[in-house]
Amino acid sequence: MKKILCVSLILLTHWASGQDKTIRIATRNISLVYGINREGRLVQQYFGQQLQPQQADALANGKQEAYVTAGMESLLDPAIRMVHNDGNPSLELKYDTHTSSKNSDDITVTTVTMKDPAYPVTVILHFEAYYKEDIIKAWTEISHSEKKPVLLTAYASSMLHLKADKYWLTQFHGDWAKEVDMPEQYLTAGMKILDSKLGVRANMLQSPLFLLSLDHPAEEESGEVLAGTLAWTGNFKFGFEVDEHNSLHINAGINPYASDYTLKPNEVFTTPAFIFTLSAKGKGAASRSFHRWALDYGILDGHAPRLTLLNNWEATGMDFNEQKLTSLFGGAKKLGVDLFLLDDGWFANKFPRNADNAGLGDWEHNTSKLPHGLGYLVTEAEKQGVKFGIWLEPEMVNPKSELYTKHPDWVLRLPNRAENYFRQQMVLDLTNPAVQDFVYGVVDKTMSENPGIAYIKWDCNRMLTNTWSPYLKEKQSHLFIEYTRSLYKVLDRVRAKYPHLPIMLCSGGGGRTDYGALKYFTEFWPSDNTDGLDRIYIQYGYSHFFPANTIAAHVTNWGHQSLKFRTDVAMMGKLGYDIKVDDFTDKELQFSQDAVTTYKRISDIVWHGNLYRLISPYKENRAVFQYTSDDQQKTVIFSYLMNISKNDVFTPVKLQGLDPQKNYRIKEINLFPDTHSSYHFDKVYSGDFLMKEGLQLVAGRRSLSSNILEITAE
């Protein structure tokens, strides 16, 4: 009896101490608080803006289980589902321990360990809170020590619970050449899912990004909005479940579709990071939080210079030779860009790469087109004063290739059905270590034999369909996960040997736009659509999560706008050209040379400044963007009139982020030769005036016209 009483007292003491535990993940403006309930389970007490005094959030009485398990009493879509050795499909997670430590003045790392009292299963929730940037990263580790493997059929990175009167969800949906359209919808009771099942080039239709407005649709600089993304270059799933009490529950992680995972004893299953911020000052503040975080932590060499370039694709396609290419080097020199990029079509001999139906996988230079090899082109480019870059698509193979002939077992394809082609190509089985060695070897051999190569465009032009892995055999349900893990293994090897080589992440346009990949890349190709008007919408969409120096933007002949309009749009990103320079008129060449010089002068503000999307192209037949330096000394305004009508009424544009006490002078830049500004900003304006009264930015009222203004404090 005494022993039972003693045990009871110990359990009561443990429960009481659990009730005193408050686990707080906090940034400058956000607070996420967990506690332990009577059953010893972790619950989310509070998620919202920082309350005053600092500990006031501990008084919140949220009771929702933090990481809902399947097979128990919850009616919600679970964050995790596990089937044990004995066939039991339930999991109960009780709080065990937690730790919190500061990695730096900016980053606080928190872990919460939970265990199942009936099975030897451990789940650890990880959090990194970036104080200055107002960003939280959350991911999960799952492990067990049962005698045999267990089956995981759901494994979210994180789960969040919100309570508001209403919810509006903005997704980033599209297709080739019309990426990241931004439909917004009111969430009603039930489940809304944003996901991808494409495996490779997973973001082709749906980008792993969302905005969630609370109570009413958020505006650019007002309203409460949650912005979230998943750092994973594969299948993803965001589940938004509004329950019978009008509470919203968000599950974020890898899409478990066709991906039941057999977890071996003592193996650790680590989910990708769910990265999010909560803004009380609209979508713009959320974007600026992501931009600051990305530049410091999320992308490769975020504060390093980026290379302007001239690409040959629009000028030549795959129809070129050494003479044609070297003649284009002079165009790069004339423009004043840093680099010439040789695109697709330079490789393969037995099955020459003259079209997209042959050659992928055979990564030796084509001796008919390039008899002296890539090294010759590197040298010739350097003679012209420009660097040289190269296009690769090392994960893919054409059936019409020597690689396919030699290694049919290296290809992802169903063994008993007709092969399925997209763009005449198939995907290599990157889960196979031999294929990983091959893909790494493509990069390493290209660089080792031609050490002057200064840039790589890494393409990936098809998704997974009709897929089966010869290497994985009976573990086909691991394929989607293992492919992405294997890609990261290859990229880890590339970056170990070439840590700062600039590499563009290209995937037929925006097929790979995520922070899982961007830690290996300096920029991404947002869309094959380079029409200046369409690009305003596309770059507007991506700007909600990615800073300007990651968004590659090229001047091409796509579209019916002026060269100035197309150039102005491209200067809002990482500027490049894909155009035949010799076709320029004298004035077009002069304008483009001046534009490159101007861009290099203002690029630091565009890349690293604070972005204010002053006028949305979705709301008016114009768009206005403002980039402002941290010290508020310099601002650059990009203003576009789109297809306007006589009934359009354009009010003055109120600037943001300036110092109200400072005086500013305004000058229009990037003018076409022999033209003059239509604006007459010949006065000095206070920051207070510019933010409260604004500027009238519709000089001329001409459709498809653009202006760039440079505003400098005096």
Side-chain angles (χ1 to χ4, degrees):
M1 183 67 180
K2 287 183 179 179
K3 185 177 290 187
I4 294 173
L5 180 61
C6 182
V7 170
S8 299
L9 286 171
I10 291 172
L11 290 174
L12 182 61
T13 302
H14 178 75
W15 172 81
S17 64
Q19 300 308 295
D20 296 333
K21 286 187 170 67
T22 299
I23 304 167
R24 180 178 290 101
I25 294 100
T27 67
R28 189 197 307 268
N29 294 301
I30 308 169
S31 182
L32 175 59
V33 179
Y34 295 104
I36 296 90
N37 68 11
R38 287 179 176 273
E39 290 75 35
R41 297 181 188 174
L42 187 73
V43 295
Q44 181 186 302
Q45 284 184 230
Y46 178 80
F47 176 47
Q49 301 303 314
Q50 278 278 17
L51 301 179
Q52 298 300 324
Q54 193 172 26
Q55 309 300 319
D57 50 26
L59 299 176
N61 61 354
K63 299 175 182 178
Q64 182 57 62
E65 196 169 349
Y67 195 73
V68 174
T69 63
M72 302 298 288
E73 67 280 357
S74 178
L75 303 180
L76 296 175
D77 189 40
I80 183 171
R81 182 177 182 271
M82 179 183 291
V83 181
H84 301 279
N85 291 176
D86 59 5
N88 190 322
S90 68
L91 187 66
E92 182 181 17
L93 295 176
K94 293 196 173 185
Y95 168 85
D96 184 61
T97 59
H98 76 276
T99 64
S100 185
S101 61
K102 297 200 74 167
N103 275 10
S104 67
D105 290 340
D106 191 35
I107 306 172
T108 300
V109 177
T110 301
T111 64
V112 184
T113 301
M114 301 179 292
K115 295 185 176 181
D116 189 320
Y119 293 91
V121 175
T122 299
V123 173
I124 303 175
L125 304 184
H126 291 264
F127 302 90
E128 283 183 356
Y130 296 81
Y131 181 82
K132 291 182 295 186
E133 293 79 12
D134 272 329
I135 291 286
I136 297 175
K137 282 176 62 176
W139 71 97
T140 301
E141 289 183 341
I142 304 165
S143 62
H144 73 96
S145 58
E146 297 189 28
K147 292 182 180 180
K148 297 178 182 179
V150 302
L151 188 67
L152 284 174
T153 65
Y155 28 78
S157 297
S158 182
M159 198 169 188
L160 289 176
H161 311 284
L162 299 117
K163 185 65 177 176
D165 290 336
K166 294 180 180 180
Y167 311 94
W168 279 266
L169 176 67
T170 301
Q171 64 190 83
F172 295 77
H173 187 82
D175 196 355
W176 181 82
K178 49 184 177 181
E179 291 83 0
V180 292
D181 190 32
M182 295 177 59
E184 183 176 43
Q185 68 181 110
Y186 169 61
L187 292 181
T188 58
M191 177 71 78
K192 169 73 176 181
I193 292 175
L194 307 179
D195 72 347
S196 169
K197 302 180 182 72
L198 303 181
V200 180
R201 198 182 173 193
N203 307 349
M204 175 179 166
L205 303 176
Q206 182 77 47
S207 293
L209 318 164
F210 72 85
L211 301 172
L212 183 83
S213 300
L214 305 179
D215 293 323
H216 54 79
E219 299 295 334
E220 187 64 24
E221 299 298 332
S222 65
E224 191 166 26
V225 60
L226 172 72
T229 185
L230 190 71
W232 182 247
T233 318
N235 291 347
F236 62 87
K237 177 184 174 183
F238 299 130
F240 303 87
E241 185 174 8
V242 179
D243 68 16
E244 68 278 13
H245 303 296
N246 199 46
S247 294
L248 175 63
H249 313 278
I250 302 175
N251 259 324
I254 296 173
N255 192 346
Y257 165 78
S259 297
D260 290 354
Y261 192 89
T262 305
L263 186 66
K264 295 181 292 188
N266 302 313
E267 177 187 358
V268 178
F269 184 97
T270 303
T271 71
F274 174 51
I275 310 170
F276 60 95
T277 187
L278 184 68
S279 164
K281 297 180 179 179
K283 300 173 184 177
S287 296
R288 290 187 288 276
S289 291
F290 262 101
H291 296 172
R292 288 191 298 270
W293 174 83
L295 291 169
D296 288 342
Y297 305 105
I299 60 177
L300 183 71
D301 294 336
H303 291 280
R306 297 293 194 259
L307 298 171
T308 54
L309 61 84
L310 173 66
N311 195 351
N312 72 297
W313 182 253
E314 296 290 339
T316 69
M318 298 184 192
D319 181 17
F320 55 78
N321 54 32
E322 279 182 352
Q323 292 72 32
K324 189 178 286 188
L325 290 178
T326 53
S327 70
L328 296 176
F329 296 166
K333 176 65 174 177
K334 284 181 189 176
L335 273 178
V337 296
D338 304 307
L339 178 133
F340 178 87
L341 172 63
L342 174 57
D343 214 291
D344 195 358
W346 59 269
F347 52 92
N349 289 288
K350 184 175 181 180
F351 302 98
R353 182 69 168 176
N354 296 321
D356 67 2
N357 66 341
L360 271 181
D362 302 343
W363 296 101
E364 73 281 344
H365 71 271
N366 181 280
T367 54
S368 296
K369 295 180 182 180
L370 308 176
H372 297 97
L374 293 178
Y376 171 79
L377 297 179
V378 172
T379 301
E380 290 302 305
E382 290 174 346
K383 288 180 181 177
Q384 296 280 1
V386 294
K387 301 177 187 294
F388 183 84
I390 195 73
W391 179 95
L392 297 172
E393 193 175 5
E395 300 164 68
M396 302 289 158
V397 63
N398 287 126
K400 196 174 179 180
S401 68
E402 291 186 82
L403 179 67
Y404 181 91
T405 304
K406 293 176 183 177
H407 296 286
D409 58 320
W410 281 12
V411 181
L412 292 170
R413 59 176 182 169
L414 290 165
N416 60 345
R417 299 192 186 278
E419 290 183 346
N420 175 260
Y421 307 134
F422 182 84
R423 281 188 49 141
Q424 309 296 320
Q425 64 193 61
M426 302 174 77
V427 183
L428 293 174
D429 185 1
L430 207 56
T431 68
N432 185 336
V435 176
Q436 294 172 31
D437 290 342
F438 170 80
V439 173
Y440 169 75
V442 170
V443 179
D444 189 42
K445 183 173 182 287
T446 302
M447 294 299 301
S448 298
E449 293 180 353
N450 310 282
I453 289 177
Y455 183 95
I456 289 176
K457 178 181 178 181
W458 183 303
D459 216 338
C460 171
N461 278 303
R462 75 153 294 170
M463 72 302 292
L464 289 182
T465 58
N466 300 53
T467 302
W468 190 87
S469 164
Y471 178 78
L472 290 177
K473 298 182 174 64
E474 74 281 356
K475 291 187 177 180
Q476 294 302 311
S477 65
H478 289 206
L479 175 57
F480 286 125
I481 293 172
E482 291 300 340
Y483 188 97
T484 303
R485 288 176 172 175
S486 300
L487 173 64
Y488 294 160
K489 288 178 183 177
V490 172
L491 293 173
D492 281 331
R493 292 173 67 182
V494 169
R495 282 308 176 194
K497 188 165 184 181
Y498 307 100
H500 301 292
L501 175 69
I503 307 180
M504 177 201 288
L505 176 62
C506 183
S507 191
R512 283 177 167 171
T513 49
D514 63 88
Y515 282 114
L518 276 174
K519 68 179 181 180
Y520 302 104
F521 292 85
T522 49
E523 61 216 62
F524 67 90
W525 185 236
S527 177
D528 282 345
N529 184 349
T530 52
D531 178 290
L533 183 60
D534 292 343
R535 266 300 184 109
I536 289 176
Y537 291 92
I538 292 169
Q539 291 172 207
Y540 175 87
Y542 282 120
S543 75
H544 285 77
F545 287 86
F546 302 106
N549 68 343
T550 65
I551 303 173
H554 291 182
V555 181
T556 75
N557 282 324
W558 280 45
H560 301 289
Q561 311 90 34
S562 68
L563 176 63
K564 172 176 165 52
F565 188 99
R566 288 176 276 133
T567 303
D568 288 355
V569 173
M571 287 173 70
M572 292 197 303
K574 207 285 293 186
L575 178 66
Y577 287 80
D578 199 337
I579 204 164
K580 198 169 182 179
V581 178
D582 286 347
D583 287 347
F584 281 159
T585 66
D586 289 343
K587 287 186 178 180
E588 287 174 335
L589 178 60
Q590 181 63 54
F591 167 76
S592 299
Q593 292 170 331
D594 293 343
V596 171
T597 301
T598 298
Y599 178 75
K600 290 183 177 182
R601 181 171 60 79
I602 66 172
S603 59
D604 187 64
I605 298 171
V606 174
W607 295 346
H608 307 122
N610 295 303
L611 169 62
Y612 299 89
R613 293 179 293 261
L614 301 179
I615 303 292
S616 165
Y618 286 97
K619 293 189 174 182
E620 298 186 26
N621 285 324
R622 63 171 172 167
V624 184
F625 303 82
Q626 173 187 345
Y627 298 84
T628 300
S629 61
D630 282 338
D631 61 8
Q632 301 173 308
Q633 286 291 113
K634 284 261 190 180
T635 284
V636 181
I637 302 289
F638 293 82
S639 178
Y640 307 95
L641 294 183
M642 300 185 295
N643 290 309
I644 64 175
S645 72
K646 63 181 181 180
N647 296 321
D648 282 323
V649 176
F650 297 125
T651 58
V653 178
K654 296 178 182 179
L655 277 54
Q656 304 213 23
L658 302 179
D659 185 337
Q661 303 301 319
K662 289 181 178 177
N663 290 321
Y664 293 88
R665 189 171 295 278
I666 304 172
K667 177 184 178 183
E668 183 171 3
I669 59 175
N670 219 44
L671 291 164
F672 205 79
D674 299 331
T675 64
H676 302 280
S677 176
S678 299
Y679 295 114
H680 301 286
F681 299 129
D682 51 359
K683 301 174 184 174
V684 174
Y685 302 85
S686 73
D688 203 35
F689 177 90
L690 293 173
M691 291 189 289
K692 290 178 178 175
E693 288 295 317
L695 298 172
Q696 188 59 263
L697 298 179
V698 288
R701 284 188 65 92
R702 288 181 295 105
S703 288
L704 301 179
S705 62
S706 60
N707 306 91
I708 303 179
L709 304 178
E710 185 174 21
I711 303 177
T712 308
E714 294 193 338

